[in-house]
Amino acid sequence: MNYYHDDLMEQIFEILKQPKCIEDLKLSEGFVKNLILKIISSYGTIKTSRMNEITGIHWDILEKNLRDLEEDGFCAPTGGGFLFSSVEYTVTKKGHEKARRALEENPYIGMAPVSYDDYYSMMEAQLKGRHPIIIPEEVIEETFADVVGVEHAKRVLLESCTIGKGIFVYGPPGTGKTFTVSKMSDLLPPLVVPKFIEFGGAVVQFYDPDFHKATPEQPEDPRWVKIRAPFVLTGAELSLNKLETNYNPDKGVYETSPIIKANGGVLLIDDLGRQRDDHELILNRLIVPMENKKDVIYVRGVPVVVHSHFIPAFSTNLDISIMDEAHLRRAPLHILLSNPPLDELAKVFRKNLNDLEETCSEEAVERFLKVYTPISEGGEGLMPSFAHARDLAQIAQSVRINRKKESIDLDIMEETLGKHILIYLQRINIDVADIEKKVRSYRVKTDDLEAAANALADYGAYTISQEADALLLDVEETITPVQLADYLQKKNINVERVDLITESVRELRKALLQS
């Protein structure tokens, strides 16, 4: 036994044997016969082996219901061998009419669903007492093997997964917030979910291969699927409507929301504050499923309770105050990801080059790092970003290929740096976010004005002026007093206090970009 397939999972696999009679299938005979007839009608002529693959229904149940449909004149065998699995069936005129009515009532064709009662009890057995968990050291090491630095963030993510509590991640763009949080689901144990469930004759889809990764070992009953703990990512495209379970008339199923798809795993609301609907409304919609680990969906107007046992994660590059106390209580753990130090930036850059199977001279790497080296140390003083490291590695590969060189050298790196739009804009002092950002003005009281001024210039302050015992500075709106104080203290600069003076809208600047 191991972390990803323990004793509980073995017990679940023992339970999930494929039903061999209609009573164990727990679906009405009418539902099963209509499903079979709709499939035959849609295909015209189809082998029973193909029907078995589509529906996941055991041969015994399939054979009995096909014989009944045949006796009632709805379908007829057209050929095949001695074995039942090779027999072909077609639909009769009478069967076409019955299939048409069945399709009008419920157009779903596919895997036989699981009964609601079986779904609910199976999820309850798996999720009850899911946290706290003890995560093996080898699982932790493997999960974070490709995450460079951010040791504090890794510890907090581990704590979040251990106790199942939500997490709030914030910091400037390009600092690896989404990538880091995406590792959380690998720390969690797997679970078994139904592909579809039946409720009141309607079908609800639970399994989504876009978010659910099936494991190599699977239960005998094909209507269920063992998945790795899901990581469900939603961003600026999220709306209130997408947080509901909505009917898809083309597929004939109710498609579950991210809230339900994340069951047993992690739901990340990325880029919080940039959603189509007001983020306060979205956060309020999440409170009940976060708190109760249950949500209510509506199937043909009837309320149905479903499991929503996920770890909520929120990330933003806006101000931390975007979430109020009621929401932060559901995500009590927090991570501030700042712009990375140069040594970590170099590691990520080299890793991206290795992933691309590219070789790069040390001279070219040093040139890359000089872009982000403080001006006081002879560099350009641009803000370092893990996203830049990834993008520049990819652009450098393209430049190398088109210049027909064997490896990335200094000339290629120079050309690469000139092609990256965000680097170019920083070099000419243009902030593309100016039109939507405010500027915060702070008074920083310190007894080491010169050192503090140099440090804050490297930090990216727009303007710095000096009073008798304090500095006045303008910074972007995402910078908080805590961040400023923490940054200066890490530089061994004593800070007595940081006061917010005012917030103002920064004047929009326009620039003609010339190559």
Side-chain angles (χ1 to χ4, degrees), residues 144 147 150 153 157 175-184 337:
F144 294 129
V147 181
V150 294
L157 293 177
T175 50
K177 295 184 293 295
T178 305
F179 172 72
T180 306
V181 174
S182 72
K183 296 295 179 180
M184 290 178 68
L337 287 177

Side-chain angles (χ1 to χ4, degrees), residues 16 34 131 136 170 207 232 250 254 258 270 275 303 337 350 362 379 430 439 484 498:
L16 296 180
N34 281 343
H131 299 283
Y170 55 103
Y207 174 64
V232 178
D250 295 327
Y254 287 83
D270 208 9
Q275 280 68 34
L337 287 177
R350 287 192 174 95
E362 281 303 311
I430 295 294
V439 171
L484 284 176
V498 179

Side-chain angles (χ1 to χ4, degrees), residues 373-379 454 458:
T373 301
I375 296 174
S376 59
E377 298 175 20
N454 290 333
D458 291 340

Side-chain angles (χ1 to χ4, degrees), residues 243-278:
L243 286 175
E244 304 302 332
T245 292
N246 297 303
Y247 182 69
N248 183 332
D250 295 327
K251 295 166 65 176
V253 299
Y254 287 83
E255 295 180 332
T256 49
S257 72
I259 293 173
I260 301 164
K261 290 174 182 175
N263 190 43
V266 177
L267 173 60
L268 171 61
I269 309 297
D270 208 9
D271 285 329
L272 186 64
R274 303 189 188 279
Q275 280 68 34
R276 296 179 182 180
D277 291 333
D278 189 305

Side-chain angles (χ1 to χ4, degrees), residues 17-22 25 32 36 46-68 81-89 111-112 220-223:
K17 300 295 185 182
Q18 190 176 24
K20 296 181 180 180
C21 63
I22 196 74
L25 193 65
V32 173
I36 293 171
I46 184 173
K47 280 188 176 183
T48 53
S49 58
R50 180 63 180 138
M51 278 190 263
N52 173 261
E53 291 173 6
I54 294 171
T55 64
I57 295 175
H58 191 273
W59 294 109
D60 293 350
I61 303 174
L62 200 59
E63 183 172 12
K64 179 186 182 304
N65 282 274
L66 277 166
R67 300 300 186 206
D68 289 347
F82 176 75
L83 296 175
F84 174 71
S85 60
S86 65
V87 177
E88 289 185 343
Y89 274 87
M111 182 67 63
E220 181 182 303
D221 188 345
R223 300 176 303 151

Side-chain angles (χ1 to χ4, degrees), residues 5 8-10 12-13 16 119 122-124 126-127 130 189-195 215 217-219 221 223-228 263:
H5 198 86
L8 175 60
M9 189 59 68
E10 278 293 315
I12 290 169
F13 270 42
L16 296 180
Y119 148 76
M122 182 56 67
M123 290 300 103
E124 194 79 1
Q126 294 182 85
L127 299 172
R130 187 170 174 85
L191 72 162
V192 174
V193 298
K195 293 177 180 176
T215 64
E217 61 283 334
Q218 290 296 320
D221 188 345
R223 300 176 303 151
W224 295 84
V225 56
K226 181 187 174 187
I227 60 171
R228 301 292 296 266
N263 190 43

Side-chain angles (χ1 to χ4, degrees), residues 33 41 49 52 57 118 124 151 172 185 236 269 341 391 395 420 513:
K33 286 180 178 177
S41 178
S49 58
N52 173 261
I57 295 175
D118 280 354
E124 194 79 1
E151 296 304 322
S185 60
I269 309 297
D391 296 341
I395 296 171
H420 195 292
L513 304 184

